[in-house]
Amino acid sequence: MTDQFEQLVGELRPKLHRYCARMTGSAVDGEDIVQDALMKALTALPSVGVIDNPEGWLFRIAHNTALDFLRHRARGPMMEHDEALDSIAAPDSPDLDHESATMSLRTFMRLPALQRSAVILKDVLGHSLEEVASITGASEAAAKSALQRGRLRLREFAKEPADVSMPMLSDGMRARLTAYVEGFKIGDFGTVRAMLADDVKLDLVAKLRKQGRSEVREYYAAYAAAKQWAFAAGVVDGQAAMIVYDRGVSLETPAYFVALDFDGDRLVSIHDFLYARYAMDGIDLSLLNLAQRSQ
């Protein structure tokens, strides 16, 4: 059963991330929720017996985990009550609406949670209304109403002037991020390692996790040896990040990113998406300085 579970997770992980990232408005938070949900599923696996719909079961766990996260952070409104939605006459809209698939993660956060969930599951991931209702725990009528209203709201958002404001980092954060990225550019990994906090956490997403300066120091050896990458300082979903380009593919389109969390002058958390490039889908990404990219 465990082997089958691991195979299913391998197939579904990108879809689970697309869902959780849009539910939370952050690729990094979305990945944390996916990992939390998978741990819950693995713990429950021995006692659940035969699972008729494993994909739906995993998505239901991920959905509930995302809602728990949102409640904890108070980052958005919670699910509307089914009865309230059942009493609202849903406006007409096409049965299939794929405009939402191109919306940014930040845009989805402007929807109430049930509308957000319904649109992501139906229009981004292709689930049926029946599946949407099963995953969210809403009635099918409530799920349909939430879907149609969410679609209309997203169309309204799409008509608004584009928000061209650059994400802001403090001067101190910009300096720390720039110094970190510069170390990668010139191969000064001694300076990079010196920035690590004693209890620094590394998540090489979908590959491995390490904690502690002594363990994480080894992570930089592969980057020190590699010549294919180019680097730039940037902001992803409002968080400081190193943007990575594959020289053999494109110096214009990033291959992936590494999200960084500093506490004062020390780096306390690293989320490296080298092995999870699906996380690039829908992110809000800005470079601090276009001239900073290593050529």
Side-chain angles (χ1 to χ4, degrees), residues 225-240:
K227 304 300 181 184
Q228 73 184 99
W229 307 120
F231 309 95
V235 180
V236 172
D237 298 334
Q239 182 171 351

Side-chain angles (χ1 to χ4, degrees), residues 13-157:
R13 189 164 191 148
K15 293 177 66 176
L16 289 167
H17 183 269
R18 292 186 81 188
Y19 180 72
C20 293
R22 284 162 175 77
M23 284 297 291
T24 61
S26 165
V28 174
D29 289 342
E31 179 57 35
D32 286 344
I33 290 169
V34 169
Q35 293 191 20
D36 191 10
L38 293 178
M39 285 301 298
K40 291 178 179 178
L42 186 59
T43 300
L45 193 60
S47 61
V48 296
V50 177
I51 304 173
D52 293 332
N53 182 2
E55 179 173 344
W57 179 69
L58 279 178
F59 266 95
R60 181 67 183 272
I61 294 173
H63 171 76
N64 290 333
T65 304
L67 291 187
D68 288 343
F69 173 90
L70 292 171
R71 291 189 185 97
H72 179 69
R73 294 288 182 88
R75 291 177 59 174
M78 288 299 96
M79 187 180 298
E80 298 91 337
H81 196 281
D82 280 4
E83 293 181 1
L85 279 172
D86 285 341
S87 67
I88 299 173
D92 291 333
S93 67
D95 182 60
L96 293 176
D97 187 344
H98 299 291
E99 295 174 8
S100 55
T102 61
M103 294 288 180
S104 70
L105 305 187
R106 183 173 54 181
T107 301
F108 278 98
M109 287 302 294
R110 299 175 65 182
L111 297 177
L114 182 56
Q115 292 183 13
R116 193 186 322 159
S117 180
V119 172
I120 299 166
L121 289 170
K122 183 68 168 62
D123 293 343
V124 178
L125 298 175
H127 289 268
S128 68
L129 273 174
E130 182 181 1
E131 290 170 330
V132 173
S134 175
I135 289 169
T136 62
S139 68
E140 194 165 331
K144 181 177 181 180
S145 179
L147 171 66
Q148 293 175 333
R149 290 180 176 278
R151 285 171 170 173
L152 288 180
R153 289 194 184 190
L154 287 179
R155 289 197 193 98
E156 292 171 359
F157 298 154

